[in-house]
Amino acid sequence: MPDFKIIRDSTPPSDILRGAVVAMGNFDGVHLGHRAVIEAAIDMGKAKGRPALALTFEPHPRRFFSPNTPQFRLTDETAKLRLLAGTGLAGAVVMAFDKGRAQTSAQDFIHHDLIGRLGIAGIAVGYDFHFGKGRVGSPSLLANEAPKLGIEVDIQAHVDIDERPVSSTAIREALAEGQVSEATAMLGGPWFVSSEVIHGEKRGRDLGYPTANMRLDRDCGLRHGIYAVRVGRGRGANRVLIDGVANFGRRPTFDNGAPLLETFLFDFHGSLYGEVLDVAFIGFIREEAKFGSIEALIRQMDADSAKARALLAARAGLFPRLGEIG
């Protein structure tokens, strides 16, 4: 069983790790800015002899406040927790973001949730994180309340790459442009998706390129195109990494249908139907294109595969650091 403990609103008080240090945030993507907050919480926990937990919210508050607006999430709840479990944290507190929580004042959240229910010994937050009704809660409010509450507060500044602040928004924008290397730099590892392999039209098999087909979230904002990918099959010590090349898009040569991720795994033979795979995006090769003949398409697929193999060889072993969450 994994050691990473998940605490939810339904968790009985007897099962809560009271007295922990928490890193609080939405943590979409668990990027380098988030990791600075997490590392601060882990360091504070070590100094106090206390476990360190992430405290996060599901669904993302943006989803609650704007349910009809497309939301490109970098990580769904499961992916986020797996990334958090790979950071060295002892667990995560997942609070439901619903009408009740949206109406909770910042002071009530601090006194009821943080102190009363969790009994926190300290908290680390990013410089721009806000909470509570009307987003009144802020790092400065926590710092002002800390002496009265007997807790320590650590406020982390933004993390910059090439003088540009790292943020989930910047990563989404990079992925929307196919700028995989930029996204990887800000995330501290490649962006990945997880999904079940489904049956497709099996055209790839006829072309000599059988693919594992996966539906991604309908709001996925990744640029349509061809990518060098590294696929994780299995979990924990049983995970196997397999290199490949993938097309994400609408297949304009054939049906121009709903977006689909189609991955050809190099040097792999076997059935993957029904399995959940992790697909990490290592490099962008080209835009999706329509070809005038099947022969031209196959020639391009051969060239794409060669480019993908070269990109992956140059980034051997690159894969997200994922923990086990049960």
Side-chain angles (χ1 to χ4, degrees):
M1 292 294 290
D3 295 329
F4 191 78
K5 186 175 182 65
I6 299 175
I7 299 166
R8 301 186 183 275
D9 293 344
S10 58
T11 300
S14 58
D15 290 342
I16 293 175
L17 293 175
R18 287 183 59 82
V21 171
V22 297
M24 183 164 69
N26 290 315
F27 298 125
D28 188 25
V30 195
H31 58 59
L32 292 184
H34 298 146
R35 290 174 186 273
V37 175
I38 290 165
E39 289 167 9
I42 291 173
D43 290 344
M44 190 190 300
K46 288 178 180 176
K48 294 178 178 295
R50 304 292 181 90
L53 310 172
L55 192 166
T56 191
F57 304 89
E58 286 292 339
H60 194 291
R62 281 197 315 273
R63 174 69 70 184
F64 174 81
F65 288 115
S66 302
N68 298 319
T69 301
Q71 307 283 352
F72 175 20
R73 283 190 58 166
L74 298 174
T75 44
D76 62 17
E77 180 179 344
T78 299
K80 178 169 68 174
L81 289 173
R82 291 174 71 198
L83 285 166
L84 291 171
T87 64
L89 289 164
V93 180
V94 182
M95 293 187 173
F97 198 90
D98 52 18
K99 184 176 181 180
R101 187 142 278 130
Q103 292 297 316
T104 300
S105 71
Q107 288 284 358
D108 281 350
F109 180 79
I110 292 170
H111 289 274
H112 178 268
D113 290 302
L114 298 183
I115 303 301
R117 188 158 193 266
L118 299 177
I120 66 169
I123 185 168
V125 291
Y127 72 101
D128 60 347
F129 185 77
H130 290 77
F131 60 94
K133 184 178 179 179
R135 291 170 52 84
V136 171
S138 64
S140 59
L141 176 64
L142 286 169
N144 291 335
E145 291 288 306
K148 293 180 286 185
L149 300 172
I151 64 172
E152 183 178 348
V153 175
D154 185 298
I155 302 171
Q156 287 291 305
H158 55 76
V159 173
D160 294 347
I161 294 180
D162 296 331
E163 300 183 351
R164 182 187 185 190
V166 171
S167 70
S168 299
T169 298
I171 295 166
R172 292 185 197 100
E173 291 172 351
L175 292 172
E177 295 296 325
Q179 296 171 348
V180 174
S181 296
E182 288 84 348
T184 298
M186 290 187 279
L187 286 165
W191 182 67
F192 80 103
V193 295
S194 300
S195 189
E196 181 180 341
V197 177
I198 61 173
H199 287 274
E201 298 296 326
K202 299 180 175 56
R203 296 190 189 97
R205 183 182 302 174
D206 296 335
L207 300 175
Y209 282 91
T211 57
N213 302 319
M214 302 160 70
R215 295 276 182 210
L216 304 189
D217 185 89
R218 65 178 182 178
D219 294 333
C220 178
L222 179 68
R223 182 181 184 179
H224 289 184
I226 312 302
Y227 293 85
V229 298
R230 184 159 285 131
V231 176
R233 185 188 188 197
R235 292 288 188 266
N238 296 320
R239 179 183 294 133
V240 176
L241 300 182
I242 309 169
D243 288 352
V245 61
N247 179 88
F248 178 60
R250 297 181 179 277
R251 306 160 304 283
T253 301
F254 296 104
D255 58 3
N256 210 35
L260 188 70
L261 179 65
E262 301 170 289
T263 304
F264 173 64
L265 281 67
F266 299 144
D267 310 313
F268 174 83
H269 303 282
S271 175
L272 295 168
Y273 293 123
E275 291 192 34
V276 175
L277 302 179
D278 300 319
V279 181
F281 293 80
I282 308 300
F284 180 77
I285 296 175
R286 64 172 175 86
E287 291 183 335
E288 193 176 34
K290 183 175 182 177
F291 292 88
S293 69
I294 296 301
E295 292 75 19
L297 172 60
I298 293 174
R299 284 195 299 272
Q300 185 61 59
M301 292 168 74
D302 291 343
D304 294 340
S305 295
K307 289 181 180 178
R309 286 183 184 272
L311 277 168
L312 292 158
R315 296 164 177 80
L318 183 62
F319 199 74
R321 184 174 180 180
L322 303 172
E324 295 302 308
I325 60 172

